[in-house]
Amino acid sequence: LQGRDVHDLALHPTGTTGAPLAENLKLLDRMEPRAIAAVRNALHALQSPQPDTPGTGVSPTIPPAAVRREEQVVLEAIVAAGYVQQTFGETLRRFWPDRKPRAEDLLAGNAAVARQLGDSGFPSGYLHAGRFALVAGNSQRSRNSCLKYLRMAANSGWVEAQLDLGTLLADEEFGPPDWGQAVFWLQTAAAGGSAEALNELGSLSFHGKGMDEDHEQAAAFYRQAARRGVVTAMTRLGQLLHNGDGVPLNRKEALAWFLKAARQGDAEAANSLGVCYHQGLGTQPNPRLARRWFLRAAQEGAAQAPNNIGQCYHLGIGGRRDLGKAREWYERGVEEGHPDAMNSLGVLLKDGHGIPQDLPRAVDLFRRSAEQGYAQGQYNYALMLQLGRGVKQDQTEAIDWYRSAAEQG
């Protein structure tokens, strides 16, 4: 089993080789029983006492350096086993909801792996112990174990652990943030050479979390991280340059950073490229390139991209019109909860050009979009209320929604 390949496949199931999602999931499904059986056997063997030298009744004499190297090999084997369990646990949970108990069992098994690594005496062992404790469960006990092991590794000078610790202490979904400690560990990791830590410091500076809100300083952090290859920092720097936020407006340079990040798989950068080519920002308008980048962004999961590529198919931007494909992409955006896609699908269903008209659903989509604060959705919902199309006429409520849309310009 090539654990790294399996792990990459689970994290990116659409495949870096272009293989279809269904094909890759079938491959993971076939591999899962054998892989987990191999992992369990390996962990059992690693936990079993080693036999004494035959005929002596005592352990063989091994030089201390060799003992340490043997311990390192065992550590690496345990880490590999833990990542295979994590990979299949996360994949089962994400793509096979009916196997959730199996997934949770695999992830919970990593609590034991974390304890083994925490007792290893290796700073790298502490690092992986913290990571496995994090995925082993969502309890306070798991979070405490995670932080304990990461602190052990961070205090040993392990830069990756300093980065992980600082990032988690600033993560409001992980638990109550400790901004002071988060900034301290991120600054320590950055001083130790972590470009990712510079990116995280840029985010804290941009949002004013744990440090003063300073978009100029945030841009400086992002630029350092971007120059050292952090893809997310390239996109964030591009957005600041594109908007002239904290730095002089420079859409040509923004386009260059978006292009560099998008070529490395950043979905938001691909969507931003589509916007630039569609509107001619930092470059000449190029509808075909806009459509190409919107499609790639949508396939890679950018939030606004399903609506954008849907608009390309709906209006014939950069290629032929295809209302069926437009609807497919709008529906995907609706499933993901995006108000712009709700509004666009509502328009398609209201007009009924090329597809069956469905006024009640159009009204429901406009309402949902409006309730999420999307101005065009508020306007369209107000219009349907005013005219009584697909909904009972209500002039008073229509005026309220028109007012909400107008307040957003």
Side-chain angles (χ1 to χ4, degrees), residues 366 369-370 373-383 401-402 404-405 408:
F366 290 145
S369 177
Y374 190 65
Q376 194 61 46
Q378 293 171 341
Y379 173 82
N380 285 325
Y381 185 46
L383 184 62
W401 284 112
Y402 277 136
S404 295
Q408 296 191 65

Side-chain angles (χ1 to χ4, degrees), residues 73-91:
V73 170
V74 170
L75 171 70
E76 291 170 0
I78 294 172
V79 169
Y83 275 116
V84 172
Q85 286 195 140
Q86 178 184 339
T87 292
F88 282 105
E90 291 177 343
T91 306

Side-chain angles (χ1 to χ4, degrees), residues 307-319:
N307 183 67
N308 289 337
I309 188 60
Q311 289 278 297
C312 290
Y313 284 117
H314 189 169
L315 304 175
I317 298 168

Side-chain angles (χ1 to χ4, degrees), residues 280-355:
L281 301 173
T283 184
Q284 292 297 312
N286 190 325
R288 289 189 178 277
L289 279 178
R291 183 172 178 142
R292 184 186 304 170
W293 284 111
F294 282 144
L295 178 59
R296 182 163 169 178
Q299 291 170 334
E300 292 175 349
Q304 294 180 323
N307 183 67
N308 289 337
I309 188 60
Q311 289 278 297
C312 290
Y313 284 117
H314 189 169
L315 304 175
I317 298 168
R320 66 183 180 85
R321 247 184 129 199
D322 187 330
L323 296 181
K325 283 191 176 294
R327 181 173 185 172
E328 287 178 17
W329 281 110
Y330 290 153
E331 291 280 13
R332 182 180 296 193
V334 170
E335 288 174 8
E336 294 172 359
H338 303 313
D340 52 356
M342 294 173 190
N343 178 70
S344 295
L345 182 57
V347 171
L348 200 63
L349 294 172
K350 172 180 70 70
D351 294 340
H353 295 159
I355 63 170

Side-chain angles (χ1 to χ4, degrees), residues 205-219:
S205 182
F206 182 84
H207 294 289
K209 300 290 183 70
M211 51 203 319
D212 292 338
E213 183 175 331
D214 186 337
H215 290 194
E216 184 177 356
Q217 184 183 53

